[in-house]
Amino acid sequence: MRIEPATSAQEAPRERATDYDHEARIWLAEVYQGDAVRQLSVRSITTGMLLGALMSISNLYVGLKTGWGLGVTITSCIIAFSVFRVLESAFAHFRDDPFTILENYTSSSAASAAGYMSTSGLVSSIPALYMMTGRQLNAWEMISWLAALSCLGVFMAIPLKRQLIDVDKLPFPTGLATAETLKAMYTSGSEALAKARALGYAAVLGAAVIFWRDGFLLAAGWLRERWSRLAQALENVALPEIFPLVPGEWGRDFLARTSLGFEGSLLMVGAGAIMGIRVGVSLLVGSVIYYGWIGPILIERHIVAEAGYGRHGINAWTLWPATAMMVASGLLSFALRWRTVARALAGMLSMFRPSKTGDDPLAAVDVPGSWFVIGTALSGAACVILGERFFNISYPMGILAVLLTFVLSIVAARATGETDVTPIGAMGQITQFVYGAIARSNITTNLMTASITAGASAHSADLLTDLKSGYLLGGNPRKQTISQLFGVLAGTLVCVPVYTLVAKPEQIGSQELPAPSAKVWAGVAEMMANGIAALPEGALGAAAIAAVVGIMLTIGEEFAPERYRRWIPSPIGLGIAGVIPAFNSISMFLGALVAWLVARRWPRVDEVYTIPVSSGLIAGESLMGVAIILLREGPGMLESFWK
């Protein structure tokens, strides 16, 4: 649904200025405050990098679990505001020099760049590469590769800002919401503090639950040799990983036969609350169809060996129809936005047109074109050179990938601006299909050229969303772009080592780390390389049916009357249910159900607390989960990182 920004002085209404130069001068005179209010400071950058680093760990963990990336920007704004409000109440120095609204939004820009680092490939192309080829990248290869394609996305956004934000005034709903949230907090901060407290309490609860489940078992392992009784007691009281749907022997037997149950975790509950009831119900329905209906049939016919989630489990077969549904739905949804694509391509030349008067009023604050030219040339060249060195992608193939990325980044940015949905998967899959046609048998080229497109598009759209907030708040775009690059640095240096230590090869694609996005990428690459002969028995027909269902549901989403759309299952939810364990889907449904009930009964409570509480549960559990994994690795973890 398109969300139009409210008419305000920040929007420099068109009725007051029909010429772009005139409109730009109005914005400078009435809105811009980037020279009068502190924006880019050591504390804003440091805060953003620290918050973004933590959120990058959380998003990485959640992405490897669910395939979803969760919002970072507004959460970082609330946390930063609350932290500095506490400091201001405790120390005179901070009261005399308060954290400004522009510092906060600049901090959130760095945090979002770091927080979304996982979308650059750590939950998709890189684990998919291991699944398909057994190639495990070392830390420095990943750091340099992800830094190059992320910087490429940042620099590619530079010429898009003027066209999409200044001229076309696309809403970029998350950017608009961030600006409105910041203005509300700095006008009256009591609600922001309430949200921050709720987030903090929920984070403690989420961390406590995962420690009860995994931390007790870790401690039991340490204590077993000297204090065996205490170790046994901890094992006995540890929270089970999976609960049956109903207690008793029948429930345990049903769980063993179908793998349908609840997870001993609150992370998926929090994720489901954010996703909403429509996706939550779709996940429930999909898990029942895949694991409760199709799964037993597959076992009975000896097509799969076991009910569980693994190499020989139900998921090894359901992956194919699930992938077909998501790919068909994603590409059709993208194609139905053909007007957006046409506007994006038509606007390519206008992005580089000089000011009509020859005197650009925004020249002193906008990012200069030289940054785009030099930054794109250097980062694009880095992608091409590293692609050849790391993945044997020929130079012509690499150059084509960078050129294709520029075009698709424009399309992805406009789609984000109009709908708030960045079609990262569709961008990657388009590239996979292109290279599947011109380099069919090369799986590595297929995956890693798509990684350039998807990763750069994600960072380009992210920067433009942040620049929309800055446009509404009167910030300096040049300073914000610098903060975005610092965020890329923080996310790369933190997220990659954590991935190396957490995502062990034997766990990628397992029940512990399902990596659903990676499985979709790997499935497309395998299909392009090996054809339909690689599919297990019956999977081709199921994939064809699932693709048709995905297309029909997407058409319904697009054209059905508004009152009926909420009853149409989400094709992405149905698809994801076939790629992750059933207990993950059911837990997410429970979270969505609780949030829906709260919204119906107490709408004000939902408005204030649902997102902070859900985000806190996710952040607390994911950070504690990563900490437990690192503790379990012990002294060998640094050695494994430097390999």
Side-chain angles (χ1 to χ4, degrees):
M1 180 177 67
R2 182 183 172 114
I3 302 175
E4 297 292 347
T7 301
S8 65
Q10 282 81 358
E11 284 295 333
R14 288 186 180 276
E15 62 266 23
R16 295 173 53 194
T18 56
D19 178 78
Y20 168 73
D21 288 353
H22 184 200
E23 200 169 300
R25 290 185 173 89
I26 290 177
W27 181 81
L28 282 172
E30 299 184 7
V31 182
Y32 180 67
Q33 53 179 330
D35 295 332
V37 178
R38 185 189 315 199
Q39 178 178 341
L40 187 68
S41 62
V42 173
R43 64 184 183 180
S44 68
I45 292 297
T46 303
T47 301
M49 292 176 73
L50 290 174
L51 289 176
L54 289 174
M55 292 181 183
S56 71
I57 297 173
S58 178
N59 250 355
L60 172 65
Y61 190 77
V62 173
L64 289 171
K65 284 277 193 178
T66 71
W68 259 277
L70 303 174
V72 169
T73 310
I74 293 178
T75 301
S76 69
C77 289
I78 295 172
I79 295 175
F81 174 85
S82 304
V83 168
F84 278 92
R85 181 59 63 91
V86 171
L87 292 174
E88 288 164 16
S89 65
F91 301 101
H93 168 73
F94 289 98
R95 285 195 297 273
D96 297 336
D97 187 16
F99 197 62
T100 71
I101 189 171
L102 293 189
E103 283 184 297
N104 195 317
Y105 111 89
T106 303
S107 169
S108 72
S109 184
S112 68
Y116 288 122
M117 183 55 63
S118 61
T119 63
S120 298
L122 289 176
V123 300
S124 54
S125 58
I126 290 175
L129 180 67
Y130 173 77
M131 290 177 181
M132 295 302 298
T133 68
R135 170 79 184 279
Q136 185 181 4
L137 301 179
N138 64 44
W140 291 114
E141 288 174 327
M142 284 187 280
I143 287 174
S144 53
W145 177 250
L146 296 181
L149 62 87
S150 298
C151 288
L152 179 64
V154 171
F155 288 116
M156 282 184 172
I158 290 174
L160 302 179
K161 180 263 178 185
R162 181 163 297 193
Q163 180 65 36
L164 301 185
I165 296 176
D166 297 7
V167 177
D168 294 344
K169 298 192 182 301
L170 298 184
F172 285 93
T174 293
L176 176 63
T178 301
E180 294 300 323
T181 299
L182 281 168
K183 286 188 284 186
M185 287 194 301
Y186 279 83
T187 301
S188 175
S190 59
E191 184 173 302
L193 291 174
K195 290 180 178 180
R197 282 194 295 270
L199 191 150
Y201 293 147
V204 172
L205 176 60
V209 168
I210 198 66
F211 185 79
W212 180 16
R213 193 189 77 181
D214 296 344
F216 277 28
L217 295 179
L218 177 64
W222 291 345
L223 298 172
R224 184 168 289 111
E225 290 186 6
R226 293 189 177 183
W227 294 285
S228 58
R229 290 185 179 180
L230 178 58
Q232 185 63 48
L234 287 174
E235 290 179 350
N236 292 338
V237 300
L239 188 70
E241 184 177 357
I242 310 172
F243 292 91
L245 293 177
V246 295
E249 185 177 348
W250 184 89
R252 291 191 295 272
D253 180 65
F254 183 78
L255 175 63
R257 287 188 293 107
T258 65
S259 75
L260 290 169
F262 306 111
E263 185 175 16
S265 161
L266 293 178
L267 184 147
M268 297 299 174
V269 174
I274 293 175
M275 293 171 189
I277 190 63
R278 177 170 170 262
V279 174
V281 171
S282 301
L283 286 164
L284 175 66
V285 171
S287 64
V288 171
I289 291 174
Y290 290 126
Y291 293 95
W293 176 41
I294 297 177
I297 295 175
L298 295 174
I299 295 172
E300 182 181 348
R301 297 183 180 181
H302 304 289
I303 297 175
V304 300
E306 57 191 35
Y309 182 93
R311 185 181 299 273
H312 304 293
I314 295 171
N315 172 260
W317 190 93
T318 60
L319 165 69
W320 295 101
T323 298
M325 180 179 292
M326 288 189 286
V327 171
S329 172
L331 293 180
L332 177 60
S333 180
F334 177 72
L336 290 174
R337 301 289 184 274
W338 64 269
R339 291 185 178 85
T340 295
V341 177
R343 286 193 292 269
L345 298 179
M348 287 179 65
L349 294 178
S350 63
M351 292 185 303
F352 302 100
R353 289 173 187 162
S355 172
K356 293 180 181 178
T357 64
D359 180 20
D360 185 357
L362 298 182
V365 298
D366 264 347
V367 182
S370 59
W371 288 25
F372 163 70
V373 174
I374 296 173
T376 301
L378 291 177
S379 54
C383 288
V384 173
I385 294 171
L386 294 176
E388 193 279 334
R389 179 174 180 180
F390 294 163
F391 311 114
N392 293 320
I393 300 172
S394 66
Y395 287 133
M397 291 282 191
I399 294 171
L400 175 61
V402 171
L403 295 176
L404 185 61
T405 296
F406 179 65
V407 176
L408 293 180
S409 290
I410 296 172
V411 176
R414 180 168 282 275
T416 303
E418 293 184 357
T419 68
D420 209 33
V421 176
T422 306
I424 299 174
M427 298 297 98
Q429 286 149 16
I430 288 172
T431 306
Q432 283 191 277
F433 286 128
V434 169
Y435 280 86
I438 62 179
R440 179 177 176 181
S441 61
N442 195 325
I443 289 177
T444 300
T445 294
N446 185 287
L447 289 171
M448 304 318 291
T449 52
S451 174
I452 298 174
T453 301
S457 297
H459 279 277
S460 184
D462 177 53
L463 174 56
L464 287 164
T465 299
D466 294 335
L467 287 171
K468 177 67 176 184
S469 302
Y471 182 80
L472 297 173
L473 296 170
N476 185 302
R478 191 176 303 189
K479 295 177 181 178
Q480 189 167 6
T481 302
I482 293 172
S483 73
Q484 192 87 3
L485 292 171
F486 274 105
V488 168
L489 175 65
T492 305
L493 294 181
V494 172
C495 209
V496 168
V498 171
Y499 174 86
T500 304
L501 299 172
V502 170
K504 295 300 182 183
E506 65 274 11
Q507 294 176 337
I508 294 176
S510 68
Q511 182 169 292
E512 185 173 355
L513 293 177
S517 293
K519 288 191 172 183
V520 173
W521 281 55
V524 173
E526 184 175 358
M527 179 77 73
M528 299 305 298
N530 302 326
I532 61 176
L535 273 62
E537 180 185 347
L540 176 60
I545 294 171
V548 172
V549 171
I551 290 170
M552 294 174 63
L553 293 176
T554 303
I555 293 173
E557 287 179 329
E558 185 71 19
F559 299 109
E562 183 68 29
R563 64 181 181 276
Y564 296 128
R565 288 182 193 173
R566 60 178 178 169
W567 302 106
I568 298 174
S570 163
I572 299 301
L574 289 174
I576 286 290
V579 185
I580 62 177
F583 53 79
N584 284 169
S585 297
I586 295 174
S587 296
M588 285 191 278
F589 161 72
L590 291 177
L593 178 63
V594 170
W596 179 73
L597 292 173
V598 169
R600 288 177 64 88
R601 180 65 179 85
W602 302 287
R604 179 59 181 164
V605 172
D606 170 68
E607 180 183 348
V608 175
Y609 291 110
T610 294
I611 297 300
V613 169
S614 302
S615 300
L617 292 174
I618 293 167
E621 178 167 333
S622 57
L623 293 176
M624 178 59 75
V626 170
I628 290 172
I629 292 173
L630 298 183
L631 288 172
R632 190 170 61 208
E633 293 299 318
M637 63 183 182
L638 290 179
E639 181 182 350
S640 66
F641 170 66
W642 290 107
K643 282 183 180 179

